[in-house]
Amino acid sequence: MSPTSPSPAAATATDTVPRRTRYVSTYTELAHQVRAAGLLRRRYAYYWTKIIGTIAAFAGIWVVFAFLGDSWFQLVLAAGLGVVLAQLTFLGHDSAHRQIFASHHWNDWTARVLSGLFVGLSHGWWMNKHSRHHANPNKEGADPDIGPSAFAFTPTVAQNRRGLTARLTRWQGYFVPLILFMGLALHIASIQRLMHRQQLKHRWWEAVFITGRFGGYVTVLLLVLPPGKAAAFFGVQMALFGLLLGGAFAPNHVGMPIVPPDLKIDFLQRQVLMSRNIAGGRLTSFAMGGLNYQIEHHLFPNMPRPNLRRAQPLVREHCAKHNIHYTETSLAGAYRVIVRYLNAVEHATMDPFRCPLATQYRS
């Protein structure tokens, strides 16, 4: 027996501890390390600078828009507005996760104002959807992000398709550019949710924010630009907005293991194994709103965005220590996997989560 090998008695004692209990204790160990490193502390200077700077950029675009007048150069401003709106959406996301302020009230209303008044999205609708995603990433029947949509993310969804959509499923990966319409789809979903009869917290405030925002946006466009140029401005802005949001969300989970409805997994592995990090520098972090550190974000949703990069070495080392696969790839590499997966999902097995973990944790 080597000096580093556990004794038979120690191994037997370890085997008697339920696997799920052991992984819960390892997450607690990681959480202690993260807290001791100060990575859960608020970053007020960072966020106030980010919020003020982004809102100033938003206002500056509209000032230049007014001075520029009837010109095709307005499309440059449309592209800039798409970038700024994506950044405001990411700030709303951070605030909704309670990353910015200690006060739940401040976080909640900051997210609602940024999302509704500036971007035109329903904070309440998104919170409900996103909370379910965080609780069960990539789990069939529990994660709304892999439910029926323009894409079939699971074999179950693919097999329920009929007609033309069923035939297109085998090539759906090549329709990834449809993420250009993601921003428009989010706006439509927000309006539909506000019109739904189900209870929504602060529905009327959100209705005032969103209708006021869209009314003001369309009015300003038509006051300054003729209808054709106004439509082009709207199209460029919305397409870039959708591209940035889709480019931040799609690479993080699509093509990662799908969890069957009857499979229970501990929190640590549920968040790590179903998530993918995107390697890159500051530009990648800016473009993705910090969501390139998706594993760290899922493990510690209330961790301030600038601390995710500092937490990565701790999380990676912890996963290696406990033999938990940690996935990180380039953006191009992620999209290669996404395209292959989406094109193959029709032919995938009904239990695509095929790995030793499934055998260990099958209920």
Side-chain angles (χ1 to χ4, degrees), residues 221-272:
L221 286 183
L222 293 177
L223 282 175
V224 176
L225 300 175
K229 288 179 182 175
F233 185 100
F234 179 85
V236 170
Q237 178 263 296
M238 195 63 71
L240 190 55
F241 177 64
L243 179 65
L244 290 170
L245 292 190
F249 298 149
N252 296 325
H253 301 284
V254 179
M256 298 303 288
I258 299 295
V259 185
D262 62 342
L263 185 62
K264 294 184 179 180
I265 311 173
D266 67 276
F267 178 80
L268 178 64
Q269 297 201 89
R270 184 193 322 154
Q271 305 301 338
V272 175

Side-chain angles (χ1 to χ4, degrees), residues 155-342:
T156 302
V157 174
Q159 291 175 6
N160 287 330
R161 288 186 161 188
R162 297 292 182 270
L164 179 61
T165 56
R167 290 194 292 273
L168 290 176
T169 299
R170 68 190 63 182
W171 299 298
Q172 65 176 349
Y174 299 117
F175 292 93
V176 167
L178 285 175
I179 62 174
L180 290 169
F181 297 96
M182 182 176 181
L184 184 61
L186 290 174
H187 285 302
I188 293 172
S190 294
I191 293 171
Q192 289 175 333
R193 186 64 181 84
L194 286 174
M195 295 174 65
H196 204 276
R197 291 185 178 181
Q198 290 183 355
Q199 185 176 3
L200 181 68
K201 189 177 181 182
H202 300 298
R203 176 197 299 272
W204 292 111
W205 273 112
E206 292 203 9
V208 169
F209 288 161
I210 292 174
T211 55
R213 189 267 186 191
F214 276 115
Y217 182 35
V218 172
T219 299
V220 169
L221 286 183
L222 293 177
L223 282 175
V224 176
L225 300 175
K229 288 179 182 175
F233 185 100
F234 179 85
V236 170
Q237 178 263 296
M238 195 63 71
L240 190 55
F241 177 64
L243 179 65
L244 290 170
L245 292 190
F249 298 149
N252 296 325
H253 301 284
V254 179
M256 298 303 288
I258 299 295
V259 185
D262 62 342
L263 185 62
K264 294 184 179 180
I265 311 173
D266 67 276
F267 178 80
L268 178 64
Q269 297 201 89
R270 184 193 322 154
Q271 305 301 338
V272 175
L273 295 177
M274 268 49 84
S275 303
R276 176 196 292 118
N277 275 19
I278 303 300
R282 293 185 182 275
L283 181 60
T284 301
S285 293
F286 173 81
M288 298 186 68
L291 296 179
N292 48 315
Y293 298 105
Q294 188 69 191
I295 294 174
E296 289 72 27
H297 171 59
H298 263 254
L299 288 172
F300 303 98
N302 64 337
M303 179 181 290
R305 188 197 309 181
N307 291 348
L308 294 172
R309 176 179 59 84
R310 296 170 55 202
Q312 186 182 35
L314 293 177
V315 174
R316 194 199 296 272
E317 181 181 353
H318 186 81
C319 289
K321 175 183 175 182
H322 295 282
N323 198 29
I324 300 173
H325 185 67
Y326 183 103
T327 301
E328 183 175 40
T329 185
S330 66
L331 190 61
Y335 273 103
R336 283 196 295 269
V337 172
I338 290 170
V339 171
R340 286 199 302 267
Y341 171 78
L342 289 176

